[in-house]
């Protein structure tokens, strides 16, 4: 087991990475919390796969566990679904020492974190991410949210988990499209901060897609280390943390305008990254090689790279709903070279439209 620490003062916590950790969730949790009761939030399919392991470990610590199952899909990240969970927590007589465990991917983690942040003004929660995307990105850093029809993650809070437990064995049962979607976030880290990680992904794509354990351990630890460093510098995204949104500005737009049903998150981010690199090249921020290498790697990983048929005016309108937009100015993350990006404070509509139409 490898341990990474997110240093946020009194909100600090560890990210634990390794194999066979689901059996140890109870043991690991007991090292940081003594819950009054535990509620496991997960999808039905994940509970069938992993529920017995997690519950057995919690039982060893003498804890009974209540279960809340959430339908799969991005549409579950909603105020309506959060309200259903609030009702269940009240039925269970949960108090401020109750602990929520999020067993699942980004949808479960974001939704559970949002409920934890708002139930009785905040109760502890633990992330147990089961997808590559959630292990390298969404489970780390304390962003919690639900979606709104006019924008992704528009209703939420910065609220850190008490621990992240990432069992690499869960990736063995992950659907192939979900695994590939997670690779989009790993590619992002290479673009924004670590050219050597990008090179590694190019040179080891086949082994990664075959779920080689050594490769997975390397890319997950490296990604989490980058995320930890960024979050420590700017926990609440006042400025620097925005670099983590490379590809997401347009990716979230794609998701919103297709009703969160045509692309899963990582696929939309992959397309968004290609377009962001294309815009960077258009504005002469980077060499031609950058978008070419990025598109090639994304396609090599089996991810989509083609911009969907969306109304340009609707795209611009959606961008103004982006959380980074302030004073009616669209902020955008552009790439200068692999491993280095910049935040543009006021991206002209005309440049975005030109990129979308070229």
């Amino acid at each position: 087991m490898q341990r990474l620490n997110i240093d946020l003062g009194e909100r600090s916590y560890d990210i634990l990475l390794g194999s066979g950790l689901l059996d140890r969730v109870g043991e690991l949790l007991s090292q940081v919390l003594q819950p009054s009761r535990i509620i496991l939030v997960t999808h039905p399919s994940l509970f069938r796969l992993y529920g017995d392991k997690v519950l057995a470990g919690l039982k060893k610590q003498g804890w009974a566990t209540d279960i809340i199952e959430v339908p799969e899909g991005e549409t579950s990240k909603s105020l309506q679904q959060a309200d259903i969970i609030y009702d269940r927590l009240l039925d269970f007589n949960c108090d401020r020492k109750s602990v929520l465990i999020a067993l699942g991917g980004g949808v479960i983690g974001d939704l559970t974190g949002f409920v934890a942040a708002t139930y009785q003004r905040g109760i502890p929660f633990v992330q147990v991410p089961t997808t590559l995307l959630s292990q390298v990105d969404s489970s780390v850093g304390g962003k919690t949210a639900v979606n709104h029809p006019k924008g992704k993650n528009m209703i939420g809070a910065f609220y850190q988990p008490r621990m992240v437990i990432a069992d690499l064995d869960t990736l063995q049962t992950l659907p192939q499209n979900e695994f590939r979607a997670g690779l989009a976030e790993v590619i992002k880290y290479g673009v924004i901060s670590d050219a050597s990680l990008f090179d590694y992904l190019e040179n080891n794509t086949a082994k990664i897609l075959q779920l080689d354990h050594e490769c997975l351990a390397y890319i997950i630890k490296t990604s989490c280390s980058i995320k930890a460093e960024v979050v420590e510098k700017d926990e609440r995204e006042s400025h620097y943390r925005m670099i983590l949104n490379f590809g997401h500005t347009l990716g979230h737009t794609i998701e919103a305008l297709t009703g969160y049903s045509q692309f899963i998150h990582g696929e939309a981010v992959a397309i968004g990254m290609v377009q962001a690199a294309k815009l960077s090249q258009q504005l002469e921020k980077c060499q031609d090689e950058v978008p070419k290498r990025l598109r090639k790697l994304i396609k090599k990983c089996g991810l989509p790279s083609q911009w969907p048929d969306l109304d340009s005016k609707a795209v611009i309108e959606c961008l103004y709903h982006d959380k980074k937009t302030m004073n009616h100015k669209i902020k955008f993350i552009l790439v200068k070279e692999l491993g280095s990006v910049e935040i543009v404070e006021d991206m002209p509509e005309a440049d975005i439209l030109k990129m979308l139409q070229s």
Side-chain angles (χ1 to χ4, degrees):
M1 184 177 72
Q2 300 183 71
R3 186 184 299 262
L4 296 171
N5 182 257
I6 302 269
D7 185 3
L8 297 170
E10 63 181 15
R11 295 179 306 286
S12 298
Y13 57 95
D14 287 336
I15 305 167
L16 307 178
L17 307 169
S19 295
L21 298 188
L22 288 185
D23 298 300
R24 299 178 59 193
V25 168
E27 169 202 342
L28 297 168
L29 178 58
S30 70
Q31 296 172 11
V32 296
L33 291 166
Q34 288 300 317
S36 59
R37 69 186 309 133
I38 292 177
I39 298 87
L40 180 69
V41 184
T42 190
H43 294 312
S45 59
L46 289 174
F47 186 72
R48 288 193 295 272
L49 283 170
Y50 307 125
D52 288 344
K53 281 187 177 182
V54 176
L55 293 181
L58 295 170
K59 188 176 181 180
K60 283 182 182 179
Q61 300 300 318
W63 297 326
T65 305
D66 294 303
I67 315 298
I68 297 178
E69 293 186 343
V70 173
E72 296 191 36
E74 189 75 22
T75 52
S76 284
K77 272 181 56 173
S78 65
L79 286 172
Q80 291 77 15
Q81 187 63 51
D83 198 42
I84 292 171
I85 298 177
Y86 294 138
D87 281 343
R88 297 291 303 281
L89 298 184
L90 290 166
D91 289 342
F92 296 145
N93 294 313
C94 290
D95 57 30
R96 287 182 174 173
K97 289 190 176 181
S98 300
V99 175
L100 302 184
I101 297 178
L103 175 67
V107 169
I108 288 292
D110 284 6
L111 175 64
T112 304
F114 174 75
V115 170
T118 49
Y119 182 77
Q120 294 195 3
R121 298 190 177 95
I123 62 174
F125 83 110
V126 172
Q127 292 271 20
V128 185
T130 59
T131 66
L132 179 60
L133 190 149
S134 58
Q135 289 181 1
V136 301
D137 190 69
S138 62
S139 69
V140 178
K143 278 189 173 182
T144 73
V146 293
N147 298 329
H148 186 277
K150 292 185 178 180
K152 185 179 172 71
N153 295 330
M154 292 305 294
I155 305 164
F158 288 99
Y159 193 70
Q160 301 294 343
R162 297 298 298 272
M163 176 180 282
V164 178
I165 303 170
D167 189 333
L168 274 59
D169 294 345
T170 60
L171 302 181
Q172 300 296 325
T173 58
L174 191 64
Q176 189 177 72
N177 67 324
E178 291 280 356
F179 179 81
R180 293 174 186 268
L183 284 178
E185 295 287 356
V186 181
I187 293 169
K188 175 196 75 178
Y189 288 118
V191 174
I192 69 171
S193 181
D194 190 345
S196 64
L197 173 59
F198 195 94
D199 294 342
Y200 185 90
L201 294 169
E202 288 180 318
N203 296 329
N204 294 276
T205 309
K207 290 171 69 176
I208 292 168
L209 291 174
Q210 292 166 5
L211 306 184
D212 177 85
H213 189 274
E214 183 179 340
C215 289
L216 293 180
Y218 174 77
I219 65 174
I220 292 171
K221 183 179 180 182
T222 303
S223 297
C224 286
S225 296
I226 294 170
K227 179 82 178 267
E229 181 181 356
V230 173
V231 172
E232 287 170 357
K233 290 180 178 178
D234 180 15
E235 180 183 359
R236 293 181 176 268
E237 200 173 47
S238 60
H239 186 72
Y240 180 68
R241 184 170 173 168
M242 290 181 188
I243 68 171
L244 295 172
N245 285 293
F246 177 72
H248 289 59
T249 306
L250 289 170
H252 288 168
T253 297
I254 292 170
E255 290 181 277
L257 293 180
T258 56
Y260 305 104
S261 59
Q262 189 172 335
F263 300 95
I264 56 179
H265 178 62
E267 293 172 338
V269 168
I271 299 170
M273 287 194 293
V274 170
Q275 295 301 121
K278 181 179 171 183
L279 180 57
S280 303
Q281 177 191 13
Q282 175 185 303
L283 297 174
E284 300 182 345
K285 299 284 187 179
C286 68
Q287 299 295 318
D288 296 356
E289 174 197 29
V290 172
K292 287 180 181 177
R293 285 181 67 185
L294 179 57
R295 184 187 289 270
K296 183 177 179 181
L297 178 57
I298 282 172
K299 293 176 74 173
K300 192 176 178 182
C301 290
L303 289 161
S305 61
Q306 188 67 36
W307 182 256
D309 184 18
L310 300 174
D311 179 73
S312 296
K313 289 184 178 179
V315 170
I316 297 297
E317 181 180 348
C318 197
L319 289 175
Y320 279 116
H321 288 295
D322 185 84
K323 298 183 299 302
K324 297 184 299 301
T325 297
M326 296 179 189
N327 299 319
H328 208 62
K329 294 179 180 179
I330 299 173
K331 292 190 178 184
F332 220 91
I333 316 303
L334 298 180
V335 57
K336 297 187 291 185
E337 60 183 359
L338 293 174
S340 178
V341 293
E342 69 172 277
I343 300 168
V344 176
E345 298 289 344
D346 186 8
M347 178 61 66
E349 289 183 24
D351 289 329
I352 298 172
L353 289 169
K354 180 180 177 182
M355 175 268 294
L356 293 175
Q357 294 165 1
S358 63

